Amino acid sequence: MKKLNNSNNLIFAAENDNPRRNFSGQRIIFLLSIAAILIGVVLIFSSVFGFNLPLFTNIKQSLDFQKDEDFTETKLAVSVKTEKIFPKNISHNISASAVTKPLNEVKVSPKMSGKVVALYFKEGDFVQGGQVIAQLEQDQTLLANYNTAFNNYQIAQKNLEQTLLSAQKDIEAAEIGVTTAEENLKAAKQNLENTLKQTSVDLSNTYQTAKQQSDSALLSANNALTTIKSILDSYSYSKTGTYYEGFPTSDSQSFYDLMTSYPKAKSAYYSTLDYYNSIKQSDKPAEIGDLLKKVEDLLDKTSIALDDMRRVLASGITNSRMTAGQLEAAKSSVYAAQAAIDGSITGIQAIEQKIASLKIGRTTAEDSARSAVDLAEKQLSSAKKNLEGIQAKAKIQINSAKAQLEAAKGQLDVISAQLANTIITAPVSGIINQVYTETGEMIVAGQPIIDLVNIKGIEIEVFLTEFDIGKVFVGQKAIVNLAAYPNEEFVGRVYYVSSVADPISKKFSVKIQLENRDGRIKAGMVAQVRIITYEEENVITVPRKAVFIENDQEKIYLINKSLSCPIDNLKHCAQIEIRNIKTEPLDENELKVIEGLSEGEEIIINGNYDLKEGELVIVRNQ
């Protein structure tokens, strides 16, 4: 529009300079305006009433076309070229030229001198690794020495087997002795444990019986003392000075003795009863032993008191205070009490004797059981020493037999190696490329007789500068193109990267291996190699020229598909969107998009200069 406005200004300026020309121009404009109005009326009339006049139809189309063209040239002056973005696989590579070589090439030589008596293959034949390819003449003396060495080896081997068998039997017998001694020791220890347990049980039971016997003795003593008290309480008596008077007896001394022994027995009873109650739940041997002593002392004192009571009653005086019947009843009760006390004394003495006997028996049983354990331990120690001695002896015998076998084997190996040197085998699988000798010819050690190549695998060696070697690693893929097969690509792998540069060229060796099972690749072919140093799949990329930087932010123009063109019937019209993106450099022409763009979006790659957000453009991709 700016350009059109300038043109109009120029026309008006020229017309003002020439009045006549100005008048003619006005007439022309007036006539053109009238013609335009008439044509517009006719077109409206034909549209309303459906008349299609060919002439006016052509004029209308011409006007519409002119209108569109004028609009395009004025309103949509910027034409752009776009490109839809889709993920793709990217890779970086290092290129080099080289020549193919066989993966293995070996010149086979004999290890000893001699006459060739047989060649089993010819040039071009394929041989497997380890297969015999030639035979040298074998010396008869060497064969005889081999037979002798082999016989000696067999004898030594048999001797070792017999030594091992004998040693095994001796060791097994000694191990049985150790096992038996261990079982005997285990049984002896178990017997000792059982003995200790049984004697402990016996003593424990006896201690329980002792407490029961003590309880019975206390009851007997209590009954006896009660009997004495009952007799004394039945009669009135008094004490004058140190004498007692009033009791119906003629033996005052015995009565005096009774009055002394009875309190002692009574005091012993209460003391023993208190101690009994305090240890009733105890199983301690010492406490039970003390209880038995106290009970025995109580019984003795009670027995003395009963004896005094019996003597008092023996001299008793029958009168109104003590009838003959009462006297006899008292005597009978004393006799009964004395019998009970005597029985308790016998029981206490019996239990004490049993405890002493059990203790002696326990000591004897324990000593016997411990002696059996000591003997079993000594027998086990002796059996183990015997086993160790047999094992040491067997080790010496076995080592000696092994040494003899090793010596025989060493002699056999030396002669076998000499014989083996007369048989020449292929070190690797491959094709015989060249034969250097013939049957019957004398050859010397180290002289090549066959050139063997393995072309099932092909090696390509390239040399890279220090700027490229840091990008190459073992295992990387390499694409190989051969001049012999221009329409094919072969894939190999890097299997060697040199750590030291060549001192002259200052380059590093890199070796690549190719599969060549069908044998199509020959040694010496010219190869173009591309070592793939970087690969990535499904990457969105954009041209560098499509990206611009504004305020330190990467941005890109793209077609806004969500907005339609505001001008009707105008083809290839689109609105601009400006979007922030993040990228990484791939090479001098492309960038990798990290974020900001998605698959299928359409970016502007040409005409992207000073465009505004939402600005209309014409897409011209043809």
Side-chain angles (χ1 to χ4, degrees), residues 462-512:
V462 298
F463 296 91
L464 302 181
T465 65
E466 60 183 296
F467 301 104
D468 291 331
I469 195 65
K471 305 172 187 176
V472 179
F473 304 96
V474 172
Q476 286 177 329
K477 183 169 67 174
I479 306 300
V480 179
N481 295 97
L482 300 173
Y485 306 106
N487 298 323
E488 294 186 55
E489 286 187 343
F490 300 87
V491 179
R493 293 282 174 183
V494 175
Y495 78 92
Y496 170 79
V497 178
S498 175
S499 301
V500 181
D502 181 85
I504 298 176
S505 67
K506 304 300 180 184
K507 291 186 176 182
F508 295 84
S509 170
V510 175
K511 295 181 181 181
I512 299 158

Side-chain angles (χ1 to χ4, degrees), residues 128-196:
Q128 293 284 354
Q131 198 169 3
V132 178
I133 56 179
Q135 174 74 55
L136 299 183
E137 186 177 29
Q138 295 180 340
D139 184 67
Q140 294 301 316
T141 302
L142 188 61
L143 289 173
N145 292 339
Y146 174 81
N147 292 331
T148 301
F150 184 74
N151 290 334
N152 292 337
Y153 175 77
Q154 287 184 318
I155 293 171
Q157 193 173 36
K158 188 173 182 180
N159 179 54
L160 176 61
E161 292 173 357
Q162 292 176 344
T163 301
L164 289 171
L165 182 60
S166 176
Q168 183 178 1
K169 289 181 179 180
D170 293 342
I171 291 173
E172 287 177 353
E175 288 174 343
I176 291 173
V178 171
T179 302
T180 302
E182 288 175 340
E183 292 175 352
N184 291 339
L185 176 60
K186 182 179 179 181
K189 287 182 176 179
Q190 185 63 49
N191 180 58
L192 174 60
E193 182 180 349
N194 294 339
T195 300
L196 293 174

Side-chain angles (χ1 to χ4, degrees), residues 107-113 443-449:
K107 294 187 182 297
V108 183
S109 305
K111 295 181 180 180
M112 62 181 296
S113 302
I443 57 174
V444 296
Q447 176 184 341
I449 63 170

Side-chain angles (χ1 to χ4, degrees), residues 203 206-207 210 213 289 292 296 345-361:
L203 275 173
T206 304
Y207 288 143
Q213 191 70 35
L292 291 174
E296 189 174 7
I345 291 174
T346 301
I348 291 298
Q349 290 175 346
I351 204 71
E352 285 180 330
Q353 185 177 1
K354 185 175 181 180
I355 290 173
S357 177
L358 283 175
K359 287 182 177 180
I360 295 172

Side-chain angles (χ1 to χ4, degrees), residues 313-540:
L313 292 175
S315 60
I317 301 173
T318 59
N319 54 30
S320 60
R321 296 172 61 187
M322 180 180 290
T323 65
Q326 290 175 332
L327 182 60
E328 292 302 321
K331 290 179 179 181
S332 296
S333 62
V334 169
Y335 288 140
Q338 183 65 57
I341 292 297
D342 291 341
S344 294
I345 291 174
T346 301
I348 291 298
Q349 290 175 346
I351 204 71
E352 285 180 330
Q353 185 177 1
K354 185 175 181 180
I355 290 173
S357 177
L358 283 175
K359 287 182 177 180
I360 295 172
R362 177 179 183 177
T363 302
T364 303
E366 287 181 5
D367 290 345
S368 176
R370 291 185 190 281
S371 298
V373 170
D374 292 341
L375 179 61
E377 287 178 342
K378 291 178 181 179
Q379 290 175 343
L380 177 59
S381 176
S382 177
K384 286 183 176 180
K385 289 181 179 179
N386 180 55
L387 175 60
E388 291 173 358
I390 291 175
Q391 288 174 332
K393 180 180 177 182
K395 185 176 181 180
I396 294 172
Q397 292 174 340
I398 291 171
N399 288 339
S400 176
K402 284 183 176 180
Q404 294 175 4
L405 180 62
E406 288 296 326
K409 185 177 182 298
Q411 184 66 24
L412 180 62
D413 288 344
V414 170
I415 299 175
S416 296
Q418 293 175 353
L419 286 175
N421 289 338
T422 64
I423 301 172
I424 304 171
T425 59
V428 295
S429 299
I431 295 174
I432 295 179
N433 186 47
Q434 191 171 357
V435 178
Y436 300 110
T437 188
E438 295 179 355
T439 302
E441 185 177 351
M442 291 294 297
I443 57 174
V444 296
Q447 176 184 341
I449 63 170
I450 287 175
D451 182 27
L452 185 63
V453 296
N454 176 15
I455 60 170
K456 294 295 182 182
I458 292 294
E459 176 187 286
I460 300 175
E461 184 177 15
V462 298
F463 296 91
L464 302 181
T465 65
E466 60 183 296
F467 301 104
D468 291 331
I469 195 65
K471 305 172 187 176
V472 179
F473 304 96
V474 172
Q476 286 177 329
K477 183 169 67 174
I479 306 300
V480 179
N481 295 97
L482 300 173
Y485 306 106
N487 298 323
E488 294 186 55
E489 286 187 343
F490 300 87
V491 179
R493 293 282 174 183
V494 175
Y495 78 92
Y496 170 79
V497 178
S498 175
S499 301
V500 181
D502 181 85
I504 298 176
S505 67
K506 304 300 180 184
K507 291 186 176 182
F508 295 84
S509 170
V510 175
K511 295 181 181 181
I512 299 158
Q513 181 176 343
L514 288 177
E515 292 285 343
N516 189 35
R517 298 187 182 280
D518 54 6
R520 295 175 62 207
I521 304 176
K522 310 299 180 184
M525 287 183 172
V526 177
Q528 296 295 325
V529 180
R530 287 178 290 128
I531 301 175
I532 307 302
T533 57
Y534 176 80
E535 281 186 305
E536 189 173 357
E537 296 181 349
N538 297 322
V539 179
I540 293 179

